[in-house]
C-alpha cells in the first residue's frame, strides 16, 4: 500500500510541476541559444527568420529583424537560384558550404544548414549555424607556404 501511495505522490508531483518545468526549460533553451559562440539563425518553413543569437547579429553586421527572408542574408550569391536555406528545406537534406564574404572576400564562413522536419511529410524550418573560419584558413595557407619553402 505504501508503494502505491508513493507512486501517487510521484504522479501528482509530476503533473503539478510540468507547466513550471516547461516554462523554465523554454527559458533555459533561449538562454542557451543566446550564448552559443557560433552564429545561429532559426528560419520557419516560409524561409523567414524567427530568431538569431547575438553572434548572428555580429556576423551579419547589423541587427537582424524577425521576418527577414533567408535570401537577404550575407550568404546570398548574386545569380543563384535561391540560397542554402532554400536548398536545405526543398531537398530536406543538411547542406554544408564554405563561403567567402567581406568587402574583399577576406572572411571564410562555414555554413551548416539543417532542415527541421515537422513530420515525415513536412519541414518546420531550418537551423543555420555559421562559423567564421578565416583564422583557420590563414593558418592553413601559412603551413602550406612554410612546407613549400622547406621542400625547396
Amino acid at each position: 500500500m505504501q508503494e502505491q501511495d508513493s507512486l501517487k505522490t510521484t504522479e501528482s508531483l509530476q503533473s503539478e510541476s510540468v507547466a513550471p518545468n516547461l516554462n523554465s526549460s523554454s527559458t533555459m533553451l533561449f538562454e542557451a541559444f543566446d550564448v552559443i559562440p557560433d552564429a545561429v539563425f532559426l528560419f520557419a518553413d516560409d524561409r523567414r527568420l524567427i530568431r538569431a543569437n547575438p553572434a548572428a547579429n555580429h556576423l551579419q553586421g547589423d541587427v537582424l529583424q524577425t521576418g527577414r527572408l533567408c535570401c537577404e542574408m550575407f550568404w546570398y550569391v548574386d545569380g543563384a537560384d535561391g540560397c542554402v536555406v532554400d536548398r536545405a528545406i526543398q531537398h530536406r537534406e543538411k547542406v554544408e558550404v564554405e563561403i567567402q564574404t567581406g568587402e574583399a572576400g577576406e572572411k571564410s564562413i562555414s555554413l551548416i544548414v539543417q532542415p527541421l522536419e515537422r513530420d515525415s511529410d513536412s519541414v518546420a524550418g531550418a537551423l543555420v549555424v555559421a562559423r567564421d573560419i578565416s583564422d583557420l584558413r590563414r593558418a592553413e595557407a601559412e603551413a602550406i607556404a612554410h612546407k613549400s619553402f622547406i621542400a625547396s
Side-chain angles (χ1 to χ4, degrees):
M1 185 71 164
Q2 187 178 13
E3 191 175 311
Q4 193 174 22
D5 288 341
S6 144
L7 182 60
K8 286 181 182 176
T9 304
T10 304
E11 286 175 356
S12 66
L13 281 174
Q14 287 175 343
S15 66
E16 289 174 6
S17 64
V18 167
N21 284 341
L22 288 176
N23 191 23
S24 66
S25 294
S26 177
T27 300
M28 191 164 78
L29 181 61
F30 284 127
E31 290 171 356
F33 190 89
D34 286 344
V35 297
I36 295 172
D38 292 331
V40 181
F41 305 81
L42 182 61
F43 291 93
D45 59 350
D46 66 356
R47 281 73 163 170
R48 293 191 177 277
L49 184 67
I50 297 173
R51 186 166 176 79
N53 70 353
N57 285 316
H58 179 72
L59 187 61
Q60 181 68 33
D62 61 4
V63 177
L64 293 166
Q65 299 294 320
T66 57
R68 191 169 176 184
L69 287 169
C70 59
C71 293
E72 296 173 352
M73 303 293 172
F74 68 88
W75 54 72
Y76 177 75
V77 177
D78 284 331
D81 186 24
C83 67
V84 291
V85 175
D86 281 327
R87 192 168 47 176
I89 290 175
Q90 182 179 15
H91 297 288
R92 300 176 74 173
E93 292 179 348
K94 179 167 84 170
V95 175
E96 295 183 60
V97 295
E98 183 177 324
I99 61 168
Q100 304 302 312
T101 66
E103 291 179 22
E106 72 279 0
K107 279 188 173 184
S108 293
I109 307 294
S110 168
L111 291 174
I112 300 172
V113 185
Q114 179 67 50
L116 304 171
E117 294 194 21
R118 180 176 292 126
D119 53 43
S120 62
D121 295 329
S122 64
V123 176
L127 182 73
V128 178
V129 178
R131 177 178 289 169
D132 185 343
I133 57 171
S134 302
D135 291 339
L136 174 64
R137 292 297 177 241
R138 280 191 285 278
E140 286 175 343
E142 284 181 27
I144 289 169
H146 184 70
K147 186 177 178 180
S148 295
F149 177 75
I150 290 175
S152 60

